[in-house]
């Protein structure tokens, strides 16, 4: 089994994995909740997508909120997605991204072998822990004697928050911080950083970017989340879909791309170990969190008439309430050379069919 080389010192890697697996006190790692911050260390901005003033519909409408956080150390960042109905947490999903040494043991994020991967630290590539739970958990077991896999811990944490009120979750974070045995509070969880993950879910639920879903008082949903390459070879997307019956109840779409650090805020830990070794002058950035900066490039280089966010919202709105079969028909229509806006009102992305295809994949994953 190949070892992670995000840091060159084996001792530091072992310490990071130990923080994953220990069942004792929680780590001191904290999630980032500010929209932007500047550090004298790496002199790069961080943009988590946080927006505490965002307009959020009241109970009776499904809402997805997404935030980027650093719940576990400095070598990775997390995408945290929370579905709400009023102040009740309906569901939550967490995935983490980290650089590892290139090896057949690992599956890289989409476009790792194309233009996107050209920005990676030498000899490494970016992985999602959810997709690589097996090899990552093997490292956790070897380096820190972990008894539960990464996926088992993530599932335990996200199952724990389902049905809770937001304020109750805030109290649970304090309980986990005070306990010596995490599983006494969160059944099935052994991560020493469990409090950090719960805090990240709370932060997403209260300050995350907002995607408005269908109006309903029924919180019975299933969710799917996929990584995809809906637009070219320079980025990858993360798409989360909530299904209610056979219809799409909500969609959250975002993409990550390496962008100029002078204009874009990077994902959490871009100013720490995660940001070391990547192409100089760049940061890995969320397009949604940096919609204004990215849209300026779209306008300058492609004469775009709508922002990235406006296009994303149009696609999300189009998918909402539809069945998978209906979306597949729309993709077929777009491939038949129909004008994009004639099929998806308000959308101008030439790759609209790629985004819809990614939504279809996430919807199928929810089944």
């Amino acid at each position: 089994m190949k070892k992670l080389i995000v840091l060159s010192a084996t001792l530091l890697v072992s310490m990071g994995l130990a923080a994953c697996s220990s069942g004792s006190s929680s780590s001191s790692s904290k999630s980032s909740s500010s929209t932007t911050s500047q550090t004298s260390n790496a002199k790069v901005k961080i943009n988590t997508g946080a927006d505490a003033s965002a307009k959020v519909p009241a109970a009776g409408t499904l809402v997805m909120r997404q935030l980027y956080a650093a719940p576990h150390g400095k070598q990775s960042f997390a995408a945290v997605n929370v579905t709400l109905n009023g102040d009740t947490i309906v569901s939550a999903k967490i995935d983490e991204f980290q650089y590892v040494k290139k090896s057949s043991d690992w599956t890289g994020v989409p476009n790792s072998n194309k233009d996107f991967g050209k920005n990676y630290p030498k000899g490494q590539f970016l992985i999602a822990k959810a997709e690589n739970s097996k090899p990552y958990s093997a490292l956790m077991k070897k380096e820190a004697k972990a008894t539960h896999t990464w996926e088992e811990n993530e599932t335990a944490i996200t199952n724990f928050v389902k049905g809770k009120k937001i304020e109750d979750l805030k109290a649970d974070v304090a309980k986990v911080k005070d306990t010596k045995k995490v599983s006494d509070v969160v059944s099935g969880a052994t991560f020493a950083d469990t409090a950090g993950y719960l805090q990240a879910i709370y932060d997403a639920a209260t300050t995350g970017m907002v995607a408005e879903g269908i109006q309903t008082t029924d919180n019975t949903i299933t969710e799917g989340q996929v990584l995809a390459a809906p637009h070219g070879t320079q980025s990858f997307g993360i798409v989360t879909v909530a299904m209610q019956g056979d219809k799409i109840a909500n969609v959250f779409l975002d993409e990550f791309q390496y962008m100029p650090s002078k204009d874009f805020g990077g994902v959490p830990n871009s100013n720490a170990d995660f940001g070391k070794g990547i192409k100089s002058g760049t940061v890995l950035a969320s397009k949604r969190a940096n919609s204004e900066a990215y849209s300026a490039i779209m306008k300058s280089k492609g004469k775009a008439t709508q922002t990235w966010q406006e296009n994303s919202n149009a696609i999300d709105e189009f998918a909402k309430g539809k069945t998978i079969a209906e979306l597949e028909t729309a993709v077929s229509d777009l491939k038949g050379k129909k004008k994009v806006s004639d099929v998806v009102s308000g959308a101008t992305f030439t790759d609209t069919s790629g985004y819809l295809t990614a939504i279809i994949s996430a919807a199928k994953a929810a089944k």
Side-chain angles (χ1 to χ4, degrees), residues 128-139:
K129 291 183 183 178
E131 188 176 25
N132 290 273
S133 178
K134 186 175 180 180
Y136 189 80
S137 300
L139 282 177

PDB file of all heavy atoms in Angstrom, residues 128-139:
ATOM      1  N   ALA A 128     -11.049  11.991  -3.849  1.00  0.00           N
ATOM      2  CA  ALA A 128     -12.162  12.179  -2.915  1.00  0.00           C
ATOM      3  C   ALA A 128     -12.156  10.990  -1.968  1.00  0.00           C
ATOM      4  O   ALA A 128     -12.064   9.836  -2.400  1.00  0.00           O
ATOM      5  CB  ALA A 128     -13.482  12.245  -3.674  1.00  0.00           C
ATOM      6  N   LYS A 129     -12.249  11.244  -0.689  1.00  0.00           N
ATOM      7  CA  LYS A 129     -12.189  10.152   0.288  1.00  0.00           C
ATOM      8  C   LYS A 129     -13.404   9.237   0.203  1.00  0.00           C
ATOM      9  O   LYS A 129     -13.292   8.034   0.453  1.00  0.00           O
ATOM     10  CB  LYS A 129     -12.045  10.725   1.701  1.00  0.00           C
ATOM     11  CG  LYS A 129     -10.695  11.393   1.951  1.00  0.00           C
ATOM     12  CD  LYS A 129     -10.565  11.880   3.384  1.00  0.00           C
ATOM     13  CE  LYS A 129      -9.247  12.616   3.603  1.00  0.00           C
ATOM     14  NZ  LYS A 129      -9.123  13.131   4.984  1.00  0.00           N
ATOM     15  N   ALA A 130     -14.568   9.775  -0.148  1.00  0.00           N
ATOM     16  CA  ALA A 130     -15.762   8.935  -0.258  1.00  0.00           C
ATOM     17  C   ALA A 130     -15.552   7.848  -1.304  1.00  0.00           C
ATOM     18  O   ALA A 130     -15.882   6.678  -1.089  1.00  0.00           O
ATOM     19  CB  ALA A 130     -16.984   9.779  -0.598  1.00  0.00           C
ATOM     20  N   GLU A 131     -14.998   8.221  -2.436  1.00  0.00           N
ATOM     21  CA  GLU A 131     -14.762   7.281  -3.526  1.00  0.00           C
ATOM     22  C   GLU A 131     -13.591   6.349  -3.223  1.00  0.00           C
ATOM     23  O   GLU A 131     -13.493   5.251  -3.777  1.00  0.00           O
ATOM     24  CB  GLU A 131     -14.487   8.047  -4.816  1.00  0.00           C
ATOM     25  CG  GLU A 131     -14.405   7.187  -6.060  1.00  0.00           C
ATOM     26  CD  GLU A 131     -14.228   8.012  -7.320  1.00  0.00           C
ATOM     27  OE1 GLU A 131     -13.709   9.154  -7.223  1.00  0.00           O
ATOM     28  OE2 GLU A 131     -14.621   7.533  -8.393  1.00  0.00           O
ATOM     29  N   ASN A 132     -12.697   6.791  -2.337  1.00  0.00           N
ATOM     30  CA  ASN A 132     -11.493   6.030  -2.003  1.00  0.00           C
ATOM     31  C   ASN A 132     -11.490   5.573  -0.551  1.00  0.00           C
ATOM     32  O   ASN A 132     -10.423   5.439   0.061  1.00  0.00           O
ATOM     33  CB  ASN A 132     -10.256   6.883  -2.283  1.00  0.00           C
ATOM     34  CG  ASN A 132     -10.009   7.105  -3.756  1.00  0.00           C
ATOM     35  OD1 ASN A 132      -9.358   6.313  -4.416  1.00  0.00           O
ATOM     36  ND2 ASN A 132     -10.546   8.206  -4.282  1.00  0.00           N
ATOM     37  N   SER A 133     -12.674   5.314  -0.004  1.00  0.00           N
ATOM     38  CA  SER A 133     -12.757   4.928   1.404  1.00  0.00           C
ATOM     39  C   SER A 133     -11.920   3.693   1.712  1.00  0.00           C
ATOM     40  O   SER A 133     -11.261   3.615   2.750  1.00  0.00           O
ATOM     41  CB  SER A 133     -14.217   4.682   1.817  1.00  0.00           C
ATOM     42  OG  SER A 133     -14.296   4.273   3.160  1.00  0.00           O
ATOM     43  N   LYS A 134     -11.919   2.720   0.809  1.00  0.00           N
ATOM     44  CA  LYS A 134     -11.199   1.465   1.075  1.00  0.00           C
ATOM     45  C   LYS A 134      -9.690   1.672   1.237  1.00  0.00           C
ATOM     46  O   LYS A 134      -9.122   1.300   2.267  1.00  0.00           O
ATOM     47  CB  LYS A 134     -11.490   0.441  -0.024  1.00  0.00           C
ATOM     48  CG  LYS A 134     -10.894  -0.935   0.251  1.00  0.00           C
ATOM     49  CD  LYS A 134     -11.324  -1.942  -0.814  1.00  0.00           C
ATOM     50  CE  LYS A 134     -10.723  -3.318  -0.532  1.00  0.00           C
ATOM     51  NZ  LYS A 134     -11.153  -4.300  -1.566  1.00  0.00           N
ATOM     52  N   PRO A 135      -9.000   2.281   0.247  1.00  0.00           N
ATOM     53  CA  PRO A 135      -7.559   2.475   0.446  1.00  0.00           C
ATOM     54  C   PRO A 135      -7.233   3.492   1.538  1.00  0.00           C
ATOM     55  O   PRO A 135      -6.247   3.328   2.259  1.00  0.00           O
ATOM     56  CB  PRO A 135      -7.064   2.957  -0.922  1.00  0.00           C
ATOM     57  CG  PRO A 135      -8.270   3.497  -1.606  1.00  0.00           C
ATOM     58  CD  PRO A 135      -9.417   2.668  -1.110  1.00  0.00           C
ATOM     59  N   TYR A 136      -8.065   4.537   1.679  1.00  0.00           N
ATOM     60  CA  TYR A 136      -7.794   5.520   2.728  1.00  0.00           C
ATOM     61  C   TYR A 136      -7.978   4.894   4.108  1.00  0.00           C
ATOM     62  O   TYR A 136      -7.194   5.145   5.031  1.00  0.00           O
ATOM     63  CB  TYR A 136      -8.701   6.748   2.573  1.00  0.00           C
ATOM     64  CG  TYR A 136      -8.299   7.875   3.504  1.00  0.00           C
ATOM     65  CD1 TYR A 136      -7.229   8.707   3.189  1.00  0.00           C
ATOM     66  CD2 TYR A 136      -8.962   8.090   4.698  1.00  0.00           C
ATOM     67  CE1 TYR A 136      -6.822   9.721   4.045  1.00  0.00           C
ATOM     68  CE2 TYR A 136      -8.573   9.102   5.563  1.00  0.00           C
ATOM     69  CZ  TYR A 136      -7.504   9.918   5.231  1.00  0.00           C
ATOM     70  OH  TYR A 136      -7.107  10.915   6.083  1.00  0.00           O
ATOM     71  N   SER A 137      -8.992   4.051   4.246  1.00  0.00           N
ATOM     72  CA  SER A 137      -9.240   3.389   5.525  1.00  0.00           C
ATOM     73  C   SER A 137      -8.135   2.390   5.864  1.00  0.00           C
ATOM     74  O   SER A 137      -7.811   2.181   7.032  1.00  0.00           O
ATOM     75  CB  SER A 137     -10.599   2.675   5.495  1.00  0.00           C
ATOM     76  OG  SER A 137     -11.640   3.600   5.256  1.00  0.00           O
ATOM     77  N   ALA A 138      -7.556   1.780   4.818  1.00  0.00           N
ATOM     78  CA  ALA A 138      -6.430   0.878   5.042  1.00  0.00           C
ATOM     79  C   ALA A 138      -5.252   1.639   5.649  1.00  0.00           C
ATOM     80  O   ALA A 138      -4.551   1.128   6.541  1.00  0.00           O
ATOM     81  CB  ALA A 138      -6.015   0.212   3.737  1.00  0.00           C
ATOM     82  N   LEU A 139      -5.033   2.874   5.201  1.00  0.00           N
ATOM     83  CA  LEU A 139      -3.996   3.715   5.787  1.00  0.00           C
ATOM     84  C   LEU A 139      -4.339   4.083   7.223  1.00  0.00           C
ATOM     85  O   LEU A 139      -3.476   4.090   8.102  1.00  0.00           O
ATOM     86  CB  LEU A 139      -3.817   4.986   4.963  1.00  0.00           C
ATOM     87  CG  LEU A 139      -3.027   4.861   3.663  1.00  0.00           C
ATOM     88  CD1 LEU A 139      -3.012   6.197   2.941  1.00  0.00           C
ATOM     89  CD2 LEU A 139      -1.613   4.398   3.930  1.00  0.00           C
TER      90      LEU A 139
END
